[in-house]
Structure formats: C-alpha cells, structure tokens
Amino acid sequence: MAASTTTLMKLFFFALILVSFIVSPATSTAPEECEAESTNPCLNKTKALPLKIISIVAILLTSMIGVSAPLFSRYVPILHPDGNIFTIVKAFASGIILGTSFMHVLPDSFEMLSSECLEDDPWHKFPFTGFVAMLSGLVTLAIDSMATSFYSSKNGSEIVPAASNGDQERANPMITHGHSHGHGVTLNTKDDGSSHLLRYRVIAMVLELGIIVHSVVIGLSLGATNDTCTIKGLIAALCFHQMFEGMGLGGCILQAEYTTVKKFMMAFFFAVTTPFGIVLGIALSSIYRDNSPTALITVGLLNACSAGLLIYMALVDLLAAEFMGPKLQGNIKLQIKCFFAALLGCGGMSILAKWA
C-alpha cells in the first residue's frame, strides 16, 4: 500500500511539471524584458546539446555509484553498516541533504517566487516560499507519523507512554522508537528489531520522494537551458551533488532491509530521475523559458515543497535520530566525529552553491 502510494505521488509530480510548462498563462503583466529574447553570448543551442548528452551519462553513472555504494557495503568490512565508519559516512551524507535543502533548493525558490517577472499581487506581497516549505514540513511530519502508525498496527505494535525521559531507554534500550527520545513515547513491538525496521522503511520512502522531486526540477532546468557557460559548471556540481545525496539515500535503503529487487528498484528510480528531467527539459526547450510566469511559479513551488520535506527528513529522521540513538549517545568521540562529518557535508554543498 505504501509503495503504491509513493509511486502515485511520483507520477503526480511528473505530470504536474509537464502540464505546468506546456500550459502558459493567457495574459501576463510581466515587464517587457521578461518576454524579450536574451542577448547572453553564451547561449548556443547547437553547442549546448552535446553538453546535455554528456551530462545525462555523467549524472546517471555518478548517481548509480552513490546510491549503490551503501548497498554493497556489507561486503566491505571497513564499511559494514554496524561499523563506526559507516555511521560517519552516513552523517556526512545527511549533511549533504541538509545543505542541499538550505543552500540550493530554498534560495532558488525564494528567487523564483520573488522575480520581477511575476505579478506584484500576490507573489510580492506574501512569502509563498516560506509558507509552502512550512506546510511541506508539517505534511511530511503527518505522513511520517501516519505511515509509522499504519505499519505499527499492521505488525502488531503499540505506542505506550515512556516512564521518563531517559529511564525507559536505559531499562530497555532495544525497543525505543527512533523518535522516542524526549517525546514521551516508546514504540513497543513483539520483535525488538521491528520498530527500527519499520522506521527505516518509512524514512527511505519519504526521503526518496523528496529527493526525486528536487532531482526532476534541477534536471529540467539543466535540460531546458542553452547557456553553455552555465551547463559546464552544472555538470561537475550536479555529479558531486547526486553522488553524495545518493549515498545518504542508499544508506537508508540498506537499513530498511528491503528485498534485493526493491532495493535496486529504489536505487534505479533515484539514478534516472535527474537524467529524465534533463531529457524532459531538452524536449520542452523550444517552449520553455526560465523567466516565464508558468515556469517560475511551478518550479518555485515545487522547490519550496521539496525544501520543506528535505529539511524535515535531514534534521528529524536522519541527524536527530542518529545523534540521539544509543550508539552515539554512548560514544562521545563518535558523536564529535559525526558532527564534523555532517558539518563537512553542509559546508561542501554551501561551497557548491556558488556554481549550482
């Protein structure tokens, strides 16, 4: 049920993007410069097409490497999921996702929805980016909570009040829910490991949804532009971005313990999403304009949705759950290493914000 719901939501987002760019507003009060052709000397459709094809291959390969690497880590002793190195790498990848949302997705949405090419009322009179990102975070919380409840009831689990903020975990640390610390509840199950497993599965599905929405948007923007100067920088930046974002998702997929087919299906969907967006952008490049009201509103709102979802997932389901878990709480040195790894991931994406 949850898997089919996720698939329908992906198809909905794809359809929304396609329809929004094909259908343009009947009237527009945007400034004349928004309708005029650009005089940028870097614009060259003939030279841009080979670069776009190169970007499809490069991003596909790096995405596959990034998301698949954690899936094979069980066969590499130093990267075993139970080891400290894997925990540090996962913290770094979580930092990448957090940095992406704050330094790339959210600023892009603010820029698009405050563009001079949009009408003053309502776009310049209300902070739609913050509002939509806030709603997206709350909706993600609701989906996260309801999906967990659904799996809990399906697997014979029950949520009971915790005795105290720390005593319950010390009394029975193996049955604590990923969000139980400080929230006053503990998830009790017949199988001690099932609570962790269902959390990992919910996290993997919701995180992939948010990443896929963002990946389609950035792929669409790259495929639609004919600015060769921009494309060259974007290829390197997006390869780095997709590889490490894929590592974060791959770690979640690995911990969810899906069947081999489901693991590689989820990895495949992540890997092909950005190339799919590029192909879609190439197909729409003749009618797509970055500064058209339809493009600005659609991409801006999708970016805001994606930002809210990714911020929630990175902070609550990845970083907070890991740092407040028994493994890091019992090892201060590992906590410090993971913190600096997360900081390094955020810093890396912050530096990339100069080019992409």
Side-chain angles (χ1 to χ4, degrees):
M1 176 180 176
S4 61
T5 302
T6 305
T7 303
L8 288 173
M9 292 179 74
K10 292 175 189 175
L11 293 175
F12 167 75
F13 279 117
F14 292 156
L16 175 63
I17 294 169
L18 183 60
V19 171
S20 297
F21 286 124
I22 293 177
V23 181
S24 58
T27 60
S28 176
T29 58
E32 291 183 3
E33 56 267 24
C34 295
E35 305 294 336
E37 291 292 329
S38 175
T39 57
N40 186 348
C42 289
L43 290 177
N44 189 319
K45 189 172 184 179
T46 305
K47 292 182 179 180
L49 185 58
L51 291 175
K52 294 176 186 178
I53 295 173
I54 291 171
S55 72
I56 291 173
V57 177
I59 292 173
L60 179 63
L61 289 176
T62 52
S63 297
M64 282 299 297
I65 292 171
V67 74
S68 299
L71 303 182
F72 292 101
S73 63
R74 292 185 185 276
Y75 307 104
V76 182
I78 196 172
L79 291 177
H80 195 274
D82 295 331
N84 291 346
I85 301 241
F86 183 82
T87 303
I88 294 171
V89 171
K90 196 166 66 168
F92 173 76
S94 299
I96 290 281
I97 294 172
L98 184 63
T100 296
S101 54
F102 272 114
M103 297 303 298
H104 295 258
V105 191
L106 203 58
D108 284 350
S109 179
F110 272 114
E111 182 180 357
M112 290 176 180
L113 297 183
S114 61
S115 171
E116 293 182 357
C117 296
L118 295 181
E119 295 181 358
D120 188 57
D121 189 13
W123 301 104
H124 294 175
K125 294 185 176 181
F126 185 79
F128 280 96
T129 294
F131 179 71
V132 172
M134 176 184 68
L135 286 183
S136 176
L138 288 174
V139 170
T140 305
L141 169 64
I143 293 172
D144 198 8
S145 176
M146 288 188 287
T148 302
S149 297
F150 170 77
Y151 276 119
S152 298
S153 60
K154 186 177 179 180
N155 293 316
S157 309
E158 61 176 349
I159 297 178
V160 298
S164 66
N165 210 19
D167 296 339
Q168 181 74 17
E169 290 191 11
R170 286 194 291 271
N172 197 347
M174 291 302 293
I175 62 171
T176 52
H177 183 284
H179 291 290
S180 65
H181 39 270
H183 293 261
V185 295
T186 300
L187 183 62
N188 244 351
T189 64
K190 296 175 182 177
D191 177 8
D192 288 348
S194 64
S195 62
H196 297 287
L197 185 59
L198 83 87
R199 286 298 307 142
Y200 290 141
R201 289 185 174 179
V202 171
I203 289 169
M205 286 188 293
V206 178
L207 180 61
E208 177 161 15
L209 176 62
I211 290 176
I212 280 179
V213 173
H214 168 55
S215 296
V216 170
V217 169
I218 60 177
L220 182 65
S221 299
L222 174 58
T225 184
N226 292 314
D227 188 336
T228 56
C229 300
T230 299
I231 294 174
K232 290 176 183 177
L234 277 176
I235 293 175
L238 290 180
C239 284
F240 177 89
H241 172 275
Q242 290 297 106
M243 176 178 285
F244 287 102
E245 194 170 56
M247 287 177 64
L249 177 62
C252 292
I253 294 173
L254 175 65
Q255 290 179 312
E257 296 184 12
Y258 288 114
T259 62
T260 301
V261 174
K262 284 186 178 180
K263 285 179 183 177
F264 285 98
M265 282 296 292
M266 293 181 75
F268 173 77
F269 270 115
F270 166 78
V272 301
T273 302
T274 302
F276 169 79
I278 296 173
V279 171
L280 183 61
I282 293 172
L284 297 176
S285 59
S286 59
I287 59 174
Y288 173 88
R289 287 183 295 106
D290 287 335
N291 55 1
S292 71
T294 300
L296 289 169
I297 293 170
T298 304
V299 177
L301 291 177
L302 282 174
N303 273 336
C305 286
S306 183
L309 191 155
L310 291 176
I311 289 170
Y312 172 88
M313 294 301 297
L315 287 174
V316 178
D317 281 339
L318 298 178
L319 289 171
E322 195 71 47
F323 275 85
M324 298 301 176
K327 184 172 185 176
L328 291 188
Q329 285 295 304
N331 191 333
I332 296 295
K333 288 184 179 179
L334 185 58
Q335 271 191 58
I336 295 172
K337 290 177 183 177
C338 288
F339 173 76
F340 279 106
L343 193 61
L344 184 63
C346 290
M349 292 314 297
S350 299
I351 292 171
L352 279 181
K354 182 177 180 180
W355 296 284

PDB file of all heavy atoms in Angstrom, residues 257-287:
ATOM      1  N   GLU A 257      16.234  -2.790   4.882  1.00  0.00           N
ATOM      2  CA  GLU A 257      16.252  -4.242   4.653  1.00  0.00           C
ATOM      3  C   GLU A 257      15.135  -4.700   3.723  1.00  0.00           C
ATOM      4  O   GLU A 257      14.421  -5.668   3.990  1.00  0.00           O
ATOM      5  CB  GLU A 257      16.199  -5.003   5.983  1.00  0.00           C
ATOM      6  CG  GLU A 257      17.414  -4.757   6.863  1.00  0.00           C
ATOM      7  CD  GLU A 257      17.395  -5.602   8.134  1.00  0.00           C
ATOM      8  OE1 GLU A 257      16.560  -6.529   8.221  1.00  0.00           O
ATOM      9  OE2 GLU A 257      18.204  -5.323   9.025  1.00  0.00           O
ATOM     10  N   TYR A 258      14.973  -3.982   2.610  1.00  0.00           N
ATOM     11  CA  TYR A 258      14.042  -4.415   1.576  1.00  0.00           C
ATOM     12  C   TYR A 258      14.604  -5.650   0.872  1.00  0.00           C
ATOM     13  O   TYR A 258      15.775  -5.998   1.045  1.00  0.00           O
ATOM     14  CB  TYR A 258      13.835  -3.300   0.546  1.00  0.00           C
ATOM     15  CG  TYR A 258      13.018  -2.132   1.018  1.00  0.00           C
ATOM     16  CD1 TYR A 258      13.596  -0.872   1.149  1.00  0.00           C
ATOM     17  CD2 TYR A 258      11.668  -2.273   1.303  1.00  0.00           C
ATOM     18  CE1 TYR A 258      12.851   0.211   1.576  1.00  0.00           C
ATOM     19  CE2 TYR A 258      10.910  -1.185   1.716  1.00  0.00           C
ATOM     20  CZ  TYR A 258      11.506   0.052   1.852  1.00  0.00           C
ATOM     21  OH  TYR A 258      10.767   1.122   2.270  1.00  0.00           O
ATOM     22  N   THR A 259      13.784  -6.267   0.040  1.00  0.00           N
ATOM     23  CA  THR A 259      14.286  -7.353  -0.799  1.00  0.00           C
ATOM     24  C   THR A 259      15.262  -6.762  -1.815  1.00  0.00           C
ATOM     25  O   THR A 259      15.253  -5.549  -2.078  1.00  0.00           O
ATOM     26  CB  THR A 259      13.133  -8.045  -1.550  1.00  0.00           C
ATOM     27  OG1 THR A 259      12.495  -7.085  -2.411  1.00  0.00           O
ATOM     28  CG2 THR A 259      12.111  -8.614  -0.573  1.00  0.00           C
ATOM     29  N   THR A 260      16.086  -7.611  -2.396  1.00  0.00           N
ATOM     30  CA  THR A 260      17.088  -7.145  -3.358  1.00  0.00           C
ATOM     31  C   THR A 260      16.437  -6.406  -4.524  1.00  0.00           C
ATOM     32  O   THR A 260      16.929  -5.369  -4.965  1.00  0.00           O
ATOM     33  CB  THR A 260      17.905  -8.338  -3.893  1.00  0.00           C
ATOM     34  OG1 THR A 260      18.534  -9.001  -2.792  1.00  0.00           O
ATOM     35  CG2 THR A 260      18.970  -7.869  -4.872  1.00  0.00           C
ATOM     36  N   VAL A 261      15.307  -6.909  -5.000  1.00  0.00           N
ATOM     37  CA  VAL A 261      14.619  -6.276  -6.133  1.00  0.00           C
ATOM     38  C   VAL A 261      14.156  -4.871  -5.751  1.00  0.00           C
ATOM     39  O   VAL A 261      14.347  -3.900  -6.510  1.00  0.00           O
ATOM     40  CB  VAL A 261      13.413  -7.127  -6.592  1.00  0.00           C
ATOM     41  CG1 VAL A 261      12.611  -6.391  -7.666  1.00  0.00           C
ATOM     42  CG2 VAL A 261      13.893  -8.469  -7.120  1.00  0.00           C
ATOM     43  N   LYS A 262      13.555  -4.712  -4.566  1.00  0.00           N
ATOM     44  CA  LYS A 262      13.074  -3.397  -4.135  1.00  0.00           C
ATOM     45  C   LYS A 262      14.232  -2.420  -3.924  1.00  0.00           C
ATOM     46  O   LYS A 262      14.127  -1.239  -4.255  1.00  0.00           O
ATOM     47  CB  LYS A 262      12.270  -3.532  -2.843  1.00  0.00           C
ATOM     48  CG  LYS A 262      10.870  -4.096  -3.051  1.00  0.00           C
ATOM     49  CD  LYS A 262      10.073  -4.076  -1.767  1.00  0.00           C
ATOM     50  CE  LYS A 262       8.658  -4.601  -1.971  1.00  0.00           C
ATOM     51  NZ  LYS A 262       7.874  -4.591  -0.719  1.00  0.00           N
ATOM     52  N   LYS A 263      15.332  -2.909  -3.374  1.00  0.00           N
ATOM     53  CA  LYS A 263      16.494  -2.043  -3.167  1.00  0.00           C
ATOM     54  C   LYS A 263      16.959  -1.433  -4.484  1.00  0.00           C
ATOM     55  O   LYS A 263      17.177  -0.226  -4.591  1.00  0.00           O
ATOM     56  CB  LYS A 263      17.639  -2.833  -2.536  1.00  0.00           C
ATOM     57  CG  LYS A 263      17.467  -3.149  -1.061  1.00  0.00           C
ATOM     58  CD  LYS A 263      18.656  -3.957  -0.564  1.00  0.00           C
ATOM     59  CE  LYS A 263      18.477  -4.349   0.899  1.00  0.00           C
ATOM     60  NZ  LYS A 263      19.585  -5.195   1.377  1.00  0.00           N
ATOM     61  N   PHE A 264      17.104  -2.302  -5.483  1.00  0.00           N
ATOM     62  CA  PHE A 264      17.638  -1.811  -6.746  1.00  0.00           C
ATOM     63  C   PHE A 264      16.600  -1.055  -7.565  1.00  0.00           C
ATOM     64  O   PHE A 264      16.956  -0.208  -8.382  1.00  0.00           O
ATOM     65  CB  PHE A 264      18.258  -2.963  -7.544  1.00  0.00           C
ATOM     66  CG  PHE A 264      19.584  -3.401  -6.988  1.00  0.00           C
ATOM     67  CD1 PHE A 264      19.677  -4.499  -6.152  1.00  0.00           C
ATOM     68  CD2 PHE A 264      20.728  -2.674  -7.248  1.00  0.00           C
ATOM     69  CE1 PHE A 264      20.891  -4.883  -5.603  1.00  0.00           C
ATOM     70  CE2 PHE A 264      21.945  -3.044  -6.701  1.00  0.00           C
ATOM     71  CZ  PHE A 264      22.038  -4.148  -5.890  1.00  0.00           C
ATOM     72  N   MET A 265      15.324  -1.311  -7.318  1.00  0.00           N
ATOM     73  CA  MET A 265      14.284  -0.500  -7.953  1.00  0.00           C
ATOM     74  C   MET A 265      14.322   0.926  -7.413  1.00  0.00           C
ATOM     75  O   MET A 265      14.241   1.898  -8.170  1.00  0.00           O
ATOM     76  CB  MET A 265      12.907  -1.116  -7.711  1.00  0.00           C
ATOM     77  CG  MET A 265      12.584  -2.298  -8.597  1.00  0.00           C
ATOM     78  SD  MET A 265      12.480  -1.853 -10.349  1.00  0.00           S
ATOM     79  CE  MET A 265      11.009  -0.827 -10.345  1.00  0.00           C
ATOM     80  N   MET A 266      14.469   1.067  -6.083  1.00  0.00           N
ATOM     81  CA  MET A 266      14.552   2.398  -5.477  1.00  0.00           C
ATOM     82  C   MET A 266      15.825   3.113  -5.920  1.00  0.00           C
ATOM     83  O   MET A 266      15.817   4.321  -6.196  1.00  0.00           O
ATOM     84  CB  MET A 266      14.490   2.288  -3.957  1.00  0.00           C
ATOM     85  CG  MET A 266      13.147   1.812  -3.427  1.00  0.00           C
ATOM     86  SD  MET A 266      13.066   1.722  -1.621  1.00  0.00           S
ATOM     87  CE  MET A 266      12.927   3.465  -1.197  1.00  0.00           C
ATOM     88  N   ALA A 267      16.929   2.363  -6.001  1.00  0.00           N
ATOM     89  CA  ALA A 267      18.186   2.946  -6.469  1.00  0.00           C
ATOM     90  C   ALA A 267      18.055   3.384  -7.924  1.00  0.00           C
ATOM     91  O   ALA A 267      18.535   4.459  -8.316  1.00  0.00           O
ATOM     92  CB  ALA A 267      19.325   1.940  -6.318  1.00  0.00           C
ATOM     93  N   PHE A 268      17.378   2.572  -8.730  1.00  0.00           N
ATOM     94  CA  PHE A 268      17.191   2.884 -10.151  1.00  0.00           C
ATOM     95  C   PHE A 268      16.363   4.152 -10.324  1.00  0.00           C
ATOM     96  O   PHE A 268      16.713   5.034 -11.125  1.00  0.00           O
ATOM     97  CB  PHE A 268      16.504   1.706 -10.846  1.00  0.00           C
ATOM     98  CG  PHE A 268      16.113   1.976 -12.270  1.00  0.00           C
ATOM     99  CD1 PHE A 268      17.059   1.951 -13.283  1.00  0.00           C
ATOM    100  CD2 PHE A 268      14.792   2.270 -12.594  1.00  0.00           C
ATOM    101  CE1 PHE A 268      16.696   2.212 -14.605  1.00  0.00           C
ATOM    102  CE2 PHE A 268      14.420   2.528 -13.900  1.00  0.00           C
ATOM    103  CZ  PHE A 268      15.374   2.497 -14.918  1.00  0.00           C
ATOM    104  N   PHE A 269      15.260   4.274  -9.570  1.00  0.00           N
ATOM    105  CA  PHE A 269      14.415   5.461  -9.672  1.00  0.00           C
ATOM    106  C   PHE A 269      15.212   6.724  -9.326  1.00  0.00           C
ATOM    107  O   PHE A 269      15.071   7.753  -9.990  1.00  0.00           O
ATOM    108  CB  PHE A 269      13.198   5.341  -8.752  1.00  0.00           C
ATOM    109  CG  PHE A 269      12.007   4.706  -9.398  1.00  0.00           C
ATOM    110  CD1 PHE A 269      11.528   3.482  -8.956  1.00  0.00           C
ATOM    111  CD2 PHE A 269      11.366   5.323 -10.454  1.00  0.00           C
ATOM    112  CE1 PHE A 269      10.426   2.887  -9.553  1.00  0.00           C
ATOM    113  CE2 PHE A 269      10.260   4.746 -11.060  1.00  0.00           C
ATOM    114  CZ  PHE A 269       9.794   3.517 -10.607  1.00  0.00           C
ATOM    115  N   PHE A 270      16.029   6.651  -8.279  1.00  0.00           N
ATOM    116  CA  PHE A 270      16.839   7.817  -7.919  1.00  0.00           C
ATOM    117  C   PHE A 270      17.820   8.154  -9.026  1.00  0.00           C
ATOM    118  O   PHE A 270      17.969   9.322  -9.404  1.00  0.00           O
ATOM    119  CB  PHE A 270      17.613   7.554  -6.622  1.00  0.00           C
ATOM    120  CG  PHE A 270      18.699   8.558  -6.365  1.00  0.00           C
ATOM    121  CD1 PHE A 270      18.398   9.820  -5.876  1.00  0.00           C
ATOM    122  CD2 PHE A 270      20.030   8.256  -6.635  1.00  0.00           C
ATOM    123  CE1 PHE A 270      19.398  10.766  -5.660  1.00  0.00           C
ATOM    124  CE2 PHE A 270      21.029   9.187  -6.425  1.00  0.00           C
ATOM    125  CZ  PHE A 270      20.709  10.444  -5.934  1.00  0.00           C
ATOM    126  N   ALA A 271      18.503   7.147  -9.562  1.00  0.00           N
ATOM    127  CA  ALA A 271      19.563   7.387 -10.548  1.00  0.00           C
ATOM    128  C   ALA A 271      19.036   7.982 -11.843  1.00  0.00           C
ATOM    129  O   ALA A 271      19.706   8.822 -12.467  1.00  0.00           O
ATOM    130  CB  ALA A 271      20.312   6.082 -10.824  1.00  0.00           C
ATOM    131  N   VAL A 272      17.842   7.561 -12.288  1.00  0.00           N
ATOM    132  CA  VAL A 272      17.351   8.009 -13.593  1.00  0.00           C
ATOM    133  C   VAL A 272      16.532   9.291 -13.521  1.00  0.00           C
ATOM    134  O   VAL A 272      16.187   9.855 -14.561  1.00  0.00           O
ATOM    135  CB  VAL A 272      16.498   6.912 -14.276  1.00  0.00           C
ATOM    136  CG1 VAL A 272      17.311   5.644 -14.464  1.00  0.00           C
ATOM    137  CG2 VAL A 272      15.214   6.631 -13.499  1.00  0.00           C
ATOM    138  N   THR A 273      16.222   9.767 -12.315  1.00  0.00           N
ATOM    139  CA  THR A 273      15.319  10.916 -12.198  1.00  0.00           C
ATOM    140  C   THR A 273      15.919  12.185 -12.784  1.00  0.00           C
ATOM    141  O   THR A 273      15.260  12.887 -13.565  1.00  0.00           O
ATOM    142  CB  THR A 273      14.930  11.155 -10.728  1.00  0.00           C
ATOM    143  OG1 THR A 273      14.311   9.987 -10.212  1.00  0.00           O
ATOM    144  CG2 THR A 273      13.954  12.301 -10.621  1.00  0.00           C
ATOM    145  N   THR A 274      17.150  12.517 -12.417  1.00  0.00           N
ATOM    146  CA  THR A 274      17.772  13.731 -12.968  1.00  0.00           C
ATOM    147  C   THR A 274      17.989  13.619 -14.477  1.00  0.00           C
ATOM    148  O   THR A 274      17.656  14.560 -15.212  1.00  0.00           O
ATOM    149  CB  THR A 274      19.094  14.044 -12.248  1.00  0.00           C
ATOM    150  OG1 THR A 274      18.837  14.208 -10.851  1.00  0.00           O
ATOM    151  CG2 THR A 274      19.714  15.328 -12.776  1.00  0.00           C
ATOM    152  N   PRO A 275      18.537  12.488 -15.001  1.00  0.00           N
ATOM    153  CA  PRO A 275      18.611  12.348 -16.456  1.00  0.00           C
ATOM    154  C   PRO A 275      17.250  12.455 -17.132  1.00  0.00           C
ATOM    155  O   PRO A 275      17.131  13.039 -18.209  1.00  0.00           O
ATOM    156  CB  PRO A 275      19.208  10.942 -16.638  1.00  0.00           C
ATOM    157  CG  PRO A 275      20.043  10.736 -15.422  1.00  0.00           C
ATOM    158  CD  PRO A 275      19.258  11.399 -14.314  1.00  0.00           C
ATOM    159  N   PHE A 276      16.201  11.905 -16.489  1.00  0.00           N
ATOM    160  CA  PHE A 276      14.851  12.038 -17.040  1.00  0.00           C
ATOM    161  C   PHE A 276      14.455  13.516 -17.114  1.00  0.00           C
ATOM    162  O   PHE A 276      13.871  13.966 -18.103  1.00  0.00           O
ATOM    163  CB  PHE A 276      13.845  11.276 -16.174  1.00  0.00           C
ATOM    164  CG  PHE A 276      12.405  11.567 -16.497  1.00  0.00           C
ATOM    165  CD1 PHE A 276      11.785  10.986 -17.584  1.00  0.00           C
ATOM    166  CD2 PHE A 276      11.669  12.457 -15.713  1.00  0.00           C
ATOM    167  CE1 PHE A 276      10.461  11.265 -17.890  1.00  0.00           C
ATOM    168  CE2 PHE A 276      10.347  12.742 -16.014  1.00  0.00           C
ATOM    169  CZ  PHE A 276       9.738  12.145 -17.105  1.00  0.00           C
ATOM    170  N   GLY A 277      14.763  14.264 -16.054  1.00  0.00           N
ATOM    171  CA  GLY A 277      14.463  15.695 -16.053  1.00  0.00           C
ATOM    172  C   GLY A 277      15.210  16.426 -17.160  1.00  0.00           C
ATOM    173  O   GLY A 277      14.659  17.337 -17.794  1.00  0.00           O
ATOM    174  N   ILE A 278      16.462  16.022 -17.416  1.00  0.00           N
ATOM    175  CA  ILE A 278      17.251  16.659 -18.477  1.00  0.00           C
ATOM    176  C   ILE A 278      16.618  16.384 -19.841  1.00  0.00           C
ATOM    177  O   ILE A 278      16.472  17.287 -20.670  1.00  0.00           O
ATOM    178  CB  ILE A 278      18.709  16.154 -18.447  1.00  0.00           C
ATOM    179  CG1 ILE A 278      19.383  16.573 -17.137  1.00  0.00           C
ATOM    180  CG2 ILE A 278      19.495  16.700 -19.642  1.00  0.00           C
ATOM    181  CD1 ILE A 278      20.767  15.973 -16.928  1.00  0.00           C
ATOM    182  N   VAL A 279      16.230  15.120 -20.069  1.00  0.00           N
ATOM    183  CA  VAL A 279      15.584  14.755 -21.336  1.00  0.00           C
ATOM    184  C   VAL A 279      14.283  15.524 -21.503  1.00  0.00           C
ATOM    185  O   VAL A 279      13.972  16.040 -22.591  1.00  0.00           O
ATOM    186  CB  VAL A 279      15.322  13.231 -21.389  1.00  0.00           C
ATOM    187  CG1 VAL A 279      14.467  12.875 -22.598  1.00  0.00           C
ATOM    188  CG2 VAL A 279      16.642  12.472 -21.421  1.00  0.00           C
ATOM    189  N   LEU A 280      13.505  15.633 -20.424  1.00  0.00           N
ATOM    190  CA  LEU A 280      12.252  16.390 -20.464  1.00  0.00           C
ATOM    191  C   LEU A 280      12.527  17.861 -20.773  1.00  0.00           C
ATOM    192  O   LEU A 280      11.815  18.491 -21.563  1.00  0.00           O
ATOM    193  CB  LEU A 280      11.528  16.258 -19.126  1.00  0.00           C
ATOM    194  CG  LEU A 280      10.157  16.925 -18.998  1.00  0.00           C
ATOM    195  CD1 LEU A 280       9.171  16.337 -19.990  1.00  0.00           C
ATOM    196  CD2 LEU A 280       9.618  16.776 -17.582  1.00  0.00           C
ATOM    197  N   GLY A 281      13.587  18.410 -20.169  1.00  0.00           N
ATOM    198  CA  GLY A 281      13.951  19.800 -20.433  1.00  0.00           C
ATOM    199  C   GLY A 281      14.363  20.018 -21.875  1.00  0.00           C
ATOM    200  O   GLY A 281      14.019  21.039 -22.490  1.00  0.00           O
ATOM    201  N   ILE A 282      15.111  19.062 -22.445  1.00  0.00           N
ATOM    202  CA  ILE A 282      15.512  19.167 -23.859  1.00  0.00           C
ATOM    203  C   ILE A 282      14.280  19.161 -24.753  1.00  0.00           C
ATOM    204  O   ILE A 282      14.171  19.943 -25.709  1.00  0.00           O
ATOM    205  CB  ILE A 282      16.460  18.008 -24.239  1.00  0.00           C
ATOM    206  CG1 ILE A 282      17.796  18.142 -23.492  1.00  0.00           C
ATOM    207  CG2 ILE A 282      16.711  17.977 -25.744  1.00  0.00           C
ATOM    208  CD1 ILE A 282      18.724  16.951 -23.661  1.00  0.00           C
ATOM    209  N   ALA A 283      13.318  18.283 -24.438  1.00  0.00           N
ATOM    210  CA  ALA A 283      12.099  18.182 -25.245  1.00  0.00           C
ATOM    211  C   ALA A 283      11.265  19.458 -25.173  1.00  0.00           C
ATOM    212  O   ALA A 283      10.607  19.840 -26.148  1.00  0.00           O
ATOM    213  CB  ALA A 283      11.277  16.984 -24.774  1.00  0.00           C
ATOM    214  N   LEU A 284      11.298  20.121 -24.006  1.00  0.00           N
ATOM    215  CA  LEU A 284      10.487  21.331 -23.820  1.00  0.00           C
ATOM    216  C   LEU A 284      11.266  22.621 -24.064  1.00  0.00           C
ATOM    217  O   LEU A 284      10.722  23.703 -23.864  1.00  0.00           O
ATOM    218  CB  LEU A 284       9.922  21.355 -22.394  1.00  0.00           C
ATOM    219  CG  LEU A 284       8.956  20.233 -22.010  1.00  0.00           C
ATOM    220  CD1 LEU A 284       8.560  20.346 -20.548  1.00  0.00           C
ATOM    221  CD2 LEU A 284       7.716  20.243 -22.891  1.00  0.00           C
ATOM    222  N   SER A 285      12.533  22.503 -24.475  1.00  0.00           N
ATOM    223  CA  SER A 285      13.388  23.695 -24.574  1.00  0.00           C
ATOM    224  C   SER A 285      12.874  24.717 -25.576  1.00  0.00           C
ATOM    225  O   SER A 285      13.139  25.915 -25.445  1.00  0.00           O
ATOM    226  CB  SER A 285      14.819  23.288 -24.943  1.00  0.00           C
ATOM    227  OG  SER A 285      14.837  22.597 -26.179  1.00  0.00           O
ATOM    228  N   SER A 286      12.106  24.258 -26.575  1.00  0.00           N
ATOM    229  CA  SER A 286      11.606  25.206 -27.580  1.00  0.00           C
ATOM    230  C   SER A 286      10.475  26.069 -27.038  1.00  0.00           C
ATOM    231  O   SER A 286      10.238  27.179 -27.538  1.00  0.00           O
ATOM    232  CB  SER A 286      11.128  24.447 -28.820  1.00  0.00           C
ATOM    233  OG  SER A 286      10.093  23.543 -28.477  1.00  0.00           O
ATOM    234  N   ILE A 287       9.756  25.573 -26.014  1.00  0.00           N
ATOM    235  CA  ILE A 287       8.637  26.355 -25.460  1.00  0.00           C
ATOM    236  C   ILE A 287       8.891  26.790 -24.018  1.00  0.00           C
ATOM    237  O   ILE A 287       8.111  27.546 -23.452  1.00  0.00           O
ATOM    238  CB  ILE A 287       7.316  25.555 -25.513  1.00  0.00           C
ATOM    239  CG1 ILE A 287       7.449  24.246 -24.707  1.00  0.00           C
ATOM    240  CG2 ILE A 287       6.916  25.267 -26.940  1.00  0.00           C
ATOM    241  CD1 ILE A 287       6.149  23.479 -24.592  1.00  0.00           C
TER     242      ILE A 287
END
